[in-house]
Amino acid sequence: MTAKDYLDYIVNEIHRTIVATVDDECLPVTAAIDMMDSDENGLYFLTAKGKGFYDRLKKREFLALTAMKGEDTMSSVAVSIRGKVRELGYDKIPELFEKNPYMRKIYPTEESMHALTVFQIYEGSGEWFDLSKKPIERVSFTFGGAEKKAEGYFITDACIGCGSCAAVCPQNCIMTDSIPYVIEQEHCLHCGNCMTKCPVGAVERR
Amino acid sequence: MTAKDYLDYIVNEIHRTIVATVDDECLPVTAAIDMMDSDENGLYFLTAKGKGFYDRLKKREFLALTAMKGEDTMSSVAVSIRGKVRELGYDKIPELFEKNPYMRKIYPTEESMHALTVFQIYEGSGEWFDLSKKPIERVSFTFGGAEKKAEGYFITDACIGCGSCAAVCPQNCIMTDSIPYVIEQEHCLHCGNCMTKCPVGAVERR
């Protein structure tokens, strides 16, 4: 799947996401916000200009979100995004209302719609996290030209091949065919057991 | 419903929530985290000590979360919490695994469980937001001794009873029987239309 596929998945398969902004005291605030459209330039959502959410978006121009599908934990898929946002204003509102007709039930009149404004998440990184697979599956992606960062646990050349890490890996995702061992990043839970158990400090978190 | 009822609802009826913490640059990070237990002292969840999430929790000792139920927007109920967290450590892990047996599939061995630690959200405020009702329903609550703050839009004594605000309220939740008018807080969307339209500046956001 391409980055655009993940963004489309959020809009079309999940739609209602939980987003996070940060208040003046640098503490997080969450809310349920629908992702109403996607294209090769990012994700689109709307909010009312009267909300504290609007002020927090304008202040830092950054948003994190997780979109989740699945009734229970072991069958859940979560797609998370972190990225830069910008306000596009009212112009795109009629288009978003047409694509999301249920919005008419919340803002029924033309006049009440004018409380709203559109934001775009135009550059960011994301992660697909699928707990329904065994071992779990994790895929990173970026969009809008954001730099790709490799996050997770990595085994360095200091590895002596003792097997301590592989023995405690809950996902059995450490390949021990050659030294240094290799962590299969796409199946790693990021629990850190391998780093804790390595007797020579060969596992690092990046 | 009491505050405890809302916490129980999160654990028993929703369980998998989206939580937000803040990174070193004061930008939000979201993730899916299960709320595994609740009592009169708060909510309980666990995480691996190797995760960045753990470091962010330890740094600010604060968490925001939204727990959502319902397939689509217009039938959704969301419960949001913001509050202080503290680490309880490993002791409560076996109890949480017993209450949440699926955790054994993710951390199958005793040894892998030792990557984990328990956190408690012990003091905070929350909001119940039900979009399935018409008009929408919103209820605030606090727990652990947190102070109750009245957030939203309020009409002051400057109100002249002109009707401008009521005419643009998408939820029809402004009572105009007497002056000053009164906003029914439990039905307010916080869109801010009333504040924008009031000709005498009688609506304030708190």
Side-chain angles (χ1 to χ4, degrees):
Chain A
M1 270 166 74
T2 66
K4 165 104 175 19
D5 292 332
Y6 290 113
L7 301 184
D8 291 348
Y9 185 88
I10 290 174
V11 172
N12 301 322
E13 301 297 323
I14 306 181
H15 201 68
R16 192 154 182 83
T17 75
I18 307 302
V19 305
T21 49
V22 172
D23 70 11
D24 289 338
E25 296 168 72
C26 201
L27 297 176
V29 187
T30 54
I33 295 285
D34 294 352
M35 292 298 133
M36 299 216 165
D37 202 5
S38 56
D39 61 21
E40 51 291 338
N41 300 313
L43 281 171
Y44 301 86
F45 61 96
L46 57 78
T47 186
K49 282 182 278 194
K51 288 180 192 276
F53 178 53
Y54 174 81
D55 297 337
R56 292 189 297 274
L57 284 170
K58 291 298 280 183
K59 181 158 183 191
R60 302 198 198 265
E61 300 197 308
F62 192 94
L63 187 73
L65 69 87
T66 296
M68 193 167 54
K69 205 176 166 73
E71 270 300 285
D72 58 81
T73 304
M74 299 311 291
S75 66
S76 71
V77 170
V79 193
S80 295
I81 300 274
R82 297 185 77 209
K84 297 177 184 173
V85 301
R86 61 182 157 215
E87 184 176 6
L88 301 183
Y90 183 80
D91 288 0
K92 208 179 159 69
I93 289 285
E95 182 194 336
L96 292 188
F97 266 59
E98 206 163 298
K99 286 188 178 167
N100 301 276
Y102 64 87
M103 283 304 295
R104 283 276 180 201
K105 293 183 192 159
I106 310 178
Y107 293 93
T109 65
E110 201 77 30
E111 193 153 23
S112 69
M113 284 166 61
H114 279 277
L116 302 172
T117 186
V118 176
F119 280 87
Q120 176 191 29
I121 312 177
Y122 64 94
E123 180 189 323
S125 58
E127 189 173 68
W128 166 276
F129 189 70
D130 187 345
L131 263 176
S132 74
K133 300 261 177 74
K134 238 184 133 40
I136 63 110
E137 190 180 278
R138 179 194 283 282
V139 186
S140 299
F141 58 92
T142 62
F143 60 97
E147 210 183 312
K148 197 155 190 164
K149 280 180 243 163
E151 286 179 8
Y153 289 84
F154 297 85
I155 300 177
T156 68
D157 288 345
C159 173
I160 54 171
C162 68
S164 302
C165 58
V168 294
C169 175
Q171 294 293 319
N172 287 318
C173 71
I174 301 178
M175 290 189 294
T176 57
D177 309 334
S178 60
I179 297 171
Y181 292 171
V182 174
I183 297 172
E184 296 177 301
Q185 294 300 325
E186 69 274 26
H187 301 310
C188 174
L189 265 182
H190 294 181
C191 74
N193 264 337
C194 53
M195 188 169 74
T196 307
K197 289 291 166 176
C198 177
V200 296
V203 184
E204 52 179 49
R205 193 173 98 196
R206 288 178 201 158
Chain B
M1 269 164 74
T2 66
K4 166 107 178 9
D5 292 333
Y6 290 113
L7 302 183
D8 291 347
Y9 185 89
I10 290 174
V11 172
N12 300 322
E13 301 298 323
I14 308 182
H15 201 68
R16 193 156 181 80
T17 75
I18 307 301
V19 305
T21 49
V22 173
D23 71 10
D24 288 339
E25 295 167 73
C26 201
L27 296 175
V29 187
T30 53
I33 295 285
D34 294 352
M35 291 298 133
M36 300 215 163
D37 201 5
S38 57
D39 60 22
E40 53 290 337
N41 300 312
L43 281 170
Y44 301 85
F45 62 97
L46 56 79
T47 186
K49 281 181 277 192
K51 289 182 191 277
F53 177 54
Y54 174 81
D55 297 338
R56 292 189 297 275
L57 283 171
K58 291 298 280 184
K59 183 160 181 189
R60 302 199 197 265
E61 300 197 307
F62 193 94
L63 186 74
L65 69 87
T66 296
M68 194 166 53
K69 204 175 166 72
E71 270 300 285
D72 57 80
T73 303
M74 299 311 292
S75 66
S76 72
V77 171
V79 192
S80 296
I81 299 275
R82 299 185 77 209
K84 297 178 185 172
V85 300
R86 62 181 157 216
E87 184 177 7
L88 299 183
Y90 183 80
D91 288 358
K92 208 179 160 67
I93 289 285
E95 181 193 336
L96 292 187
F97 267 58
E98 206 163 300
K99 286 187 177 166
N100 301 275
Y102 64 87
M103 284 302 296
R104 282 275 181 201
K105 293 182 191 160
I106 310 177
Y107 292 93
T109 64
E110 200 77 30
E111 193 152 24
S112 68
M113 284 167 61
H114 279 277
L116 302 171
T117 187
V118 176
F119 280 87
Q120 176 193 26
I121 312 176
Y122 64 94
E123 180 189 325
S125 58
E127 189 174 66
W128 166 276
F129 189 71
D130 186 346
L131 263 175
S132 75
K133 299 261 178 72
K134 236 184 137 32
I136 62 112
E137 189 179 281
R138 180 194 283 281
V139 186
S140 299
F141 59 92
T142 61
F143 60 97
E147 210 184 313
K148 197 154 190 166
K149 282 180 243 161
E151 286 179 7
Y153 290 84
F154 296 85
I155 301 177
T156 68
D157 288 344
C159 173
I160 55 171
C162 69
S164 302
C165 58
V168 294
C169 175
Q171 295 293 318
N172 288 317
C173 70
I174 302 179
M175 290 189 295
T176 57
D177 308 334
S178 60
I179 297 172
Y181 292 173
V182 174
I183 298 172
E184 296 177 300
Q185 294 301 324
E186 69 275 26
H187 301 310
C188 173
L189 265 181
H190 293 181
C191 74
N193 264 338
C194 52
M195 188 169 73
T196 308
K197 289 291 166 178
C198 177
V200 296
V203 183
E204 53 180 49
R205 193 173 97 197
R206 288 178 202 157

